[in-house]
Each structure stands twice: as C-alpha cells, then as structure tokens.
Amino acid sequence: MKIQHIKRKALGALVSGAVAGALFALAGPAFAAAAAPSSLEAATYAGADRQARLVAAARKEGELMIYTSVPVDDMAILTAAFEKKYGIKVKVWRAGSEKVLQRAVTETRANRFDVDIIETNGPELESLHREKMLQEVKSPYLADLIGPAIQPHREWVSTRLNIFAMAYNTGKVKAADVPKTYQDLLDPKWKGKLGIEAEDLDWFAGVIAELGEAKGLKLFRDIVATNGISVRKGHTLLTNLVASGEVPMALTVYNYKAEQMKNKGAPIEWFTIAPAIARPNGVGVMRAAPHPNAAVLFYDFMISDAQPILLARDYVPTSKQVDTKLNKMPIKFVDPKVVLDEDAKWSKLYEEIITKQSK
C-alpha cells in the first residue's frame, strides 16, 4: 500500500476559492441549496441504551458510504464482517490517501454530502480535522486503545499502525549482521546494499528528532556518502525488491507487508531500531454524514470487532484487547505537523541528503 505525504501547497490549492467555486458550479443548484446534515446526536449519545439505539437507527438508514485508502482485499473482508453482523449495506470508494482527502474536501465545499466515514492515513485525517469536517465520537471502545491512538481533539482515532521497519533478504544478509543502531549503517559492509522509499520524509523527521537534529543529519549524510543508497518509489515495490535480493536491505518498508511476504515463504525478515517510527492509520466520522448512526456504528466496529481481523491480516491493531507484542513495542508516532506544517523543511532535507545523493 503506497502512502504519499501531503504537500501543504497541494492542500491549499485544493481548498482555494477557485477550485471550490468550480466544483460548486459543477455540482449544480441542488447541492447549492443543500443543508449539511449533522452527526452530532449519534456521535455523542452515551446512554445505557446507546448500542441498541445505534443499531436500530443504522438499520433504518440502511447503508453506509466509506472513502478509504485501504487495499481492496483488506477492506472487502472488513466490510463483509460489518454487513454480516449488522445487515447494513456498505459502499466503498477507494483511492490513494491524497485523493481520499481531495474528494472529501471538494465535495463538502460543494455542499455535496455523500460520504459517512473516512478511513485513511493520520496526516490526511488531521487535515480534515483542521477543515472542521470530522465529528468527535464518544465511543466506549476508546478505553481499549493504546494512548497514542487517541488524538487530543478526539475527532479521529488510529485503528492500525504502519510501522516503518528495516527489512533484509535472508539469502543476502546474515541475521547476526543486521544493524543495532543507525550508526551501524556507516559500516562499509553495507556499501551498495541499502535501499529506501522515495517519500518517507515523515520517517526521516522522526528518526532525526530521536538522534538530535544536527547529529542525525550529519549521520545520514555520512551514511549516503560512505555506502550509497538506492531510492525506490513505493513501499510494496521496495519490499518486493528486498525479497528478490535486488535490494539486500531496505530502511523503510511497512512491517505488515514484509510479514505478509515472509508468511508466504519469501526470503525476507524485518526488524526495527527502537523506537519504531509508526504512521497511524485511522477512521473518522464526517460531521455531515448522511447516515450518521451507521457511521458511528462502523467507527465502533473498527476499534472493537475489526481489531482481531486487522491482526489476522498482519496489520498492527491499536486495541490493548488484542494480544500482539507489536502494539507494546517502543513506538513513536509520526507527528502530523511534520507533514502539514513543516513539509517544506523536511522535503528539502530529504531531497538534499537522500534522493539527490542516492546511488
């Protein structure tokens, strides 16, 4: 699953008056006159009969619309489980995370209210929070989640983590040789053997913050100068190249994809240098959800019943009720501010140090 970082200028252009006006015109007078529905009551009711009320009202609504960047096969399993439990038809529109964000923003600006749930990456969800398009949900299942999964504003919640991991081809690299620290990557034995994903500036910013900015930037300049690094676009592609041996060791693959390939017999193993940098993926209910009760019910489902399903698909769930060491390991969440507010700085540094100097 390829996840691109959001450019602030792209988001700015997206929500500019010119773009919004054009879409408003295309939407036509029916949307121009539309009034935004509200999901407030469904999202905030906390009475003892909350579950029964939600299910009854959601079944009357009859359907649910989700915009998501989850791979098609994974989302199909999740929605099938939801439909089986509640008898509510789920419709899905799937695209990359940037396009999910773009469609949600442009439709809302055009007074078009089709989508109930956004299921995508943390930075894109944080953008929707800033645009005041998401609704806080007072779910009893929030108490089951690891602390970092819950945002201070509570308008979206992390349901799963993409943990940035290092991965190596077990036929090309010995387990005893894998680095224990980032400084170990200076060893000449890694010359010509390292790979990295082309747009992982949020991982880069997280690692540099742990190392100390001046020290960390110098270290990565030295690593690239000493041993070179191959830059590839796409986490799935990079993982496949590790499995094939073309890239003996990659610095930034998603752990779940490496685990999936390992379980299918590929000669690949993954590991992390603590603290692991994790990009949260999650779910948010739209304030103008046309099916608010079904939306809140799905939100609850994603942080309860869906958690073991995600684990079975080799994702890292955020519920403490799911028995996995992966959500207990030292983890540092990607700070959405790196993508939304400091993009220019980290894009420039990542390009200067990593992508321009790649070998």
Side-chain angles (χ1 to χ4, degrees), residues 170-181:
T170 55
K172 301 283 186 177
V173 175
K174 296 178 182 179
D177 289 340
V178 300
K180 304 297 189 297
T181 68

Side-chain angles (χ1 to χ4, degrees), residues 103-124:
R103 181 165 179 167
V105 171
T106 52
E107 287 185 350
T108 299
R109 293 292 174 126
N111 285 343
R112 178 174 178 175
F113 310 112
D114 290 344
V115 61
D116 299 293
I117 284 282
I118 303 294
E119 203 293 339
T120 192
N121 308 323
E124 284 85 343

Side-chain angles (χ1 to χ4, degrees), residues 22-42:
L23 286 162
F24 187 90
L26 288 172
F31 288 129
S38 173
S39 59
L40 180 63
E41 183 179 358

Side-chain angles (χ1 to χ4, degrees), residues 225-285:
T226 301
N227 292 323
I229 194 163
S230 175
V231 177
R232 306 302 176 104
K233 188 174 176 63
H235 295 95
T236 298
L237 171 63
L238 184 57
T239 310
N240 284 329
L241 292 175
V242 173
S244 71
E246 183 174 336
V247 176
M249 190 170 78
L251 305 188
T252 57
V253 303
Y254 290 145
N255 75 294
Y256 83 90
K257 180 55 67 176
E259 186 70 15
Q260 286 177 347
M261 296 186 70
K262 174 186 171 182
N263 291 338
K264 292 178 180 178
I268 189 171
E269 186 58 84
W270 65 271
F271 65 100
T272 61
I273 294 175
I277 306 298
R279 182 185 280 150
N281 295 63
V283 64
V285 172

Side-chain angles (χ1 to χ4, degrees), residues 151-187:
Q151 309 309 307
H153 50 70
R154 293 175 172 256
E155 288 194 356
W156 63 271
V157 66
S158 176
T159 58
R160 57 193 172 88
L161 306 177
N162 277 337
I163 294 179
F164 288 103
M166 294 188 178
Y168 62 94
N169 182 286
T170 55
K172 301 283 186 177
V173 175
K174 296 178 182 179
D177 289 340
V178 300
K180 304 297 189 297
T181 68
Y182 291 104
Q183 287 79 5
D184 291 345
L185 294 171
L186 285 170
D187 193 312

